Amino acid sequence: MASKKTSWFDEGSGYLIRPYAITGGRTHPNGADFPLITQVATTGSAKSSEVQGVQPELVAILDLCRERPLAIVEIAALLDLPASVVKVLCGDLLAKSLIAIKTPGEETSAPSVELLERVIRGIRKL
């Protein structure tokens, strides 16, 4: 976990920095869009010396994901940032090879009709 949590949200006034300012006006990550449950982990190249000069939000994401992989939605909750902002920032980190992502598996196909009929027959025998 990050040793110091930076908060971009104030209960009384809302976001202290507009989300579009953090992402440079971008609303979608470069490349593919990430589902909210995409797991993010730092890579071996994400050493502290290599992330100097990187915007603080990117460093905060790297700090959070150093100990264990976290989902995009978890990162957003821990940093008090909108998930859409975290997706864009993770796209930037991925482009710099500072993180690795694991997207959820896609459904390959529905079960066969034959399998479903065998299950139904088995249930009827009970």
Side-chain angles (χ1 to χ4, degrees), residues 7-113:
S7 181
W8 292 270
F9 188 81
D10 179 66
E11 291 295 324
S13 58
Y15 285 101
L16 301 175
I17 299 174
R18 291 285 176 224
Y20 61 81
I22 296 171
T23 62
R26 295 171 294 142
T27 57
H28 298 290
N30 296 332
D33 194 16
F34 308 121
L36 291 177
I37 58 174
T38 299
Q39 295 289 307
V40 178
T42 57
T43 62
S45 63
K47 307 267 189 256
S48 298
S49 60
E50 294 182 20
V51 295
Q52 292 178 358
V54 175
Q55 71 187 80
E57 297 83 6
L58 297 178
V59 173
I61 292 172
L62 291 172
D63 287 344
L64 285 173
C65 298
R66 233 178 267 293
E67 290 182 27
R68 67 179 179 91
L70 292 173
I72 298 275
V73 70
E74 291 177 290
I75 297 167
L78 291 169
L79 295 179
D80 291 328
L81 286 172
S84 59
V85 170
V86 174
K87 287 181 180 185
V88 172
L89 296 175
C90 284
D92 294 347
L93 290 170
L94 186 62
K96 295 177 183 189
S97 300
L98 295 174
I99 62 168
I101 61 165
K102 184 172 190 305
T103 56
E106 298 204 13
E107 294 290 325
T108 54
S109 66
S112 70
V113 174

Side-chain angles (χ1 to χ4, degrees), residues 1-3 6 15 48 63 71 77 92 95 121 125-126:
M1 231 17 102
S3 58
T6 305
Y15 285 101
S48 298
D63 287 344
D92 294 347
R121 282 194 302 268
K125 287 181 182 179
L126 295 175

